[in-house]
Amino acid sequence: MLTLEQKIRAKIPGADTGIEIKKTVCDICAPDHHCGIDAYVKDGKVLKVEGTREHPYSHGSLCTKGLCSREYIYRSDRLRTPLRRVGPRGAGRLEPITWEEAYRAVAEGLNRVKKTYGPHSVAFFAGHGKWFRPMMQRFAYDFGSVNFGSDCSVCNVSLIFARIISAGCNYSPDIAHANTFLGWAFGGYYSSYHDVQEVAALKERGGKVILIDTRVTPAAKNLADLFLQIKPGTDGALAHGFAKLIIENGWMDRDFVEQHTFGFEEYKAYVQQFDRKTVSKITGVPEELIYEAAKLYATNGPACINEVCFNLAHNYNGQQNYRAITGLNALTGNFDRAGGALPAVGTYNMRSAGFPTREGAFSGANRPEHPRIGEGRFPLWDMLWGEYQAVTLPEQILGGGDYPIKALFAAGLNVRMLPDTNKTLRALEALDFFVDTDLFLTDAAQYADIVLPVCSSFERGELKVYPGGYAMMTEPVIPPLYQSKTDVEIFSELLPYLGLKDELLEQGYDACIDWILEGTGLSVESLRAAGGAVKAPVAREYIPGSYVAGGMKTPSGKWEFHAQMLDRFTQSHHLEPLATYVDCFADDRDPALAEDYPYILTTGTRVPNTIHSRLHQVPWARSLRPSPLLEISRSDAQELGIAQGEPIEVETPQGRVCAPAKISGKIQKGNVLLVHGYGACDASSLLSSDHLDPYSGFPCYRSSRCMLRKAEE
Ligand code: SF4
């Protein structure tokens, strides 16, 4: 029998210990996950976290990052009050002020710029948090500015574009019913651990797994029947090589292609140049493996492809490579088929849950009719995404755009999410007025005139939706720490200070959610009363094949190998309607670059303990990978005369950093990996803000030219 003291130390919940289990979600990574958390709370303090077993998505699991949630929310450097800058921008000299003073200063700063330069000269930017985005976009439009942007500009929308212009919709791989899983850049264990569980189940029922990656990953070791190690940025050539083999060996789904695709003959003629020998030379994958993988994928269906956006999108040829890969779904008849790729309806906050909401109408209300900054540079982006492309924001602030950006209202801006950190910091320095909300005084916040403290997912309630038609409202498990507020509270409370009216947003988050949920059979009240996840009454199980049968939402009503949405940009922007393959350095302006910078720098790779810069300052997480490491191959290390752990310098035309060498058998010769997010060894400072995918505007985190040398001690 335990004593009360022992029970409290063991964190056993009960009336006697005063420990309660309260439900929340982890929002450290993307809303694709937001795993359920059981928070053990006593006297308003979280004692420990566990995964929620009955959660409809995460089923009790949490990844390493989620398990660090308690340390994350209780970081000793949480912002305690609103702050006002009293020193030069970037010096980090700020003084505490009251919320009243902060709101007055924000309203004065934003309205001053509005009056002098017009409302569109104030840009709004949503950084790492996603839960408040519909409200922030509406807030920006209420203010009168069309310029709302977010880190979607460098996240996964490039993948969505490839799907929309090919199939007319987004979709997701149906791993649960597949016989073959083709994981293209599948991070697996370091992100999307849920997918690993599904792939492991597929293997248990006798399915096959093909993985393609630039590095030997844990997934490659643990799950792959076939593993193809590929050179960075050559994925499109491999996909076309697969297509050629599939067509010439009769492995394609002729009925699907004849009835449901557009531009097949053109595509077929184009892929003829991708014979095995050529593809092997481009990609570095042995010819035999190319054949075996194409055959297995095409003949052991149903087969689904999990193309992970980050590794593929962050290349100069990223969008076209995606399209080359996604075309395989149609060629083999795996699109809109159980076990293949199933069309997905966006539900809420970047999540597809099987029922529609009124989010678009909510956030797009009051959108001003005016061109966004940078419009015309990336027409595919302009056509498909209702935000400005944020990689152009620093340049716009620095005067390189069509009209000036003089003020910035940011929520959770991370300067390391954009290429060329120094340029981003120069832009922040040049602003007339800058306000940032965050949990911590980040490098970006140190440039702000006003910093507003916000709270974590543990300190607020929010709507979450999950696949299978599920929705839930979380409740705060502890009160907001210090003087922090939620971002949405801030938008609502700022409206009267700015002299703005928005009857809905003024009423706060719950009223907005009720409006968004109208017609779904759900309400904030009913979700609260349920106390957990419930199925939306309007949610319907998707019947595979019904989207194709009703005609796809493309100009031809079919899958388009020749994407007619791109025809109009071929003359003006050289965008190709076929998924043509070009080298990932096809935009090199100076041929000498390849000689001066002979290695390929990759960054942005997922690691278990952190995402972007988040959690680097959390002791548990940091202890797993205390310092930045430059991963190089054994043969490169030998040629450079570098031993394990010795300092090595990596240089690009943008800058230079130094880190200990991690000599590894996982990376190929000629490639270099630098994990991003470390302040003292900033990978983003090495990247060019001009080396961008011309279709999506995405930066090239996965392929930049660089030079390596042994560093001076
Ligand atoms: S960080 Fe991990 S635990 Fe948290 S939402 Fe993402 S996958 Fe889930």
Side-chain angles (χ1 to χ4, degrees), residues 38-53:
D38 281 359
Y40 286 64
V41 180
K42 180 174 165 61
D43 302 330
K45 198 151 180 355
V46 177
L47 303 180
K48 74 165 186 177
V49 298
E50 279 179 355
T52 303
R53 276 183 201 282

Side-chain angles (χ1 to χ4, degrees), residues 66 126 138 150 169 287 362 391 394 406 430 435 443 551:
R138 187 176 167 111
S150 74
C169 68
E287 285 185 46
F362 171 84
V391 289
K406 293 288 184 183
V435 51
D443 288 348

Side-chain angles (χ1 to χ4, degrees), residues 25-37 57-58 61-69 190-194 466 608 611 614-615:
V25 291
C26 169
D27 83 337
I28 285 172
C29 78
D32 286 4
H33 304 300
H34 285 194
C35 306
I37 282 189
Y57 173 71
S58 52
S61 300
L62 291 176
C63 77
T64 333
K65 299 178 276 279
L67 288 166
C68 292
S69 293
Y190 292 168
S191 63
S192 303
Y193 67 84
H194 316 81
Y466 295 96
I611 178 160
R614 222 163 317 148
L615 302 188

Side-chain angles (χ1 to χ4, degrees), residues 438-452:
D438 214 305
L439 281 84
F440 310 103
L441 191 62
T442 60
D443 288 348
Q446 298 199 24
Y447 282 72
D449 295 277
I450 300 291
V451 182
L452 304 174

Side-chain angles (χ1 to χ4, degrees), residues 147-218:
N147 286 316
F148 172 78
S150 74
D151 64 11
C152 280
S153 296
V154 296
C155 196
N156 80 331
V157 300
S158 175
L159 170 144
I160 297 171
F161 292 173
R163 293 168 175 178
I164 290 176
I165 61 178
S166 305
C169 68
N170 195 6
Y171 61 78
S172 41
D174 183 17
I175 307 172
H177 301 101
N179 273 336
T180 298
F181 175 82
L182 171 50
W184 213 302
F186 178 66
Y189 294 87
Y190 292 168
S191 63
S192 303
Y193 67 84
H194 316 81
D195 291 341
V196 169
Q197 293 164 350
E198 283 204 83
V199 176
L202 173 144
K203 278 186 78 83
E204 263 173 42
R205 59 175 190 265
K208 296 291 182 193
V209 175
I210 308 163
L211 296 181
I212 299 167
D213 215 310
T214 56
R215 288 174 70 244
V216 181
T217 61

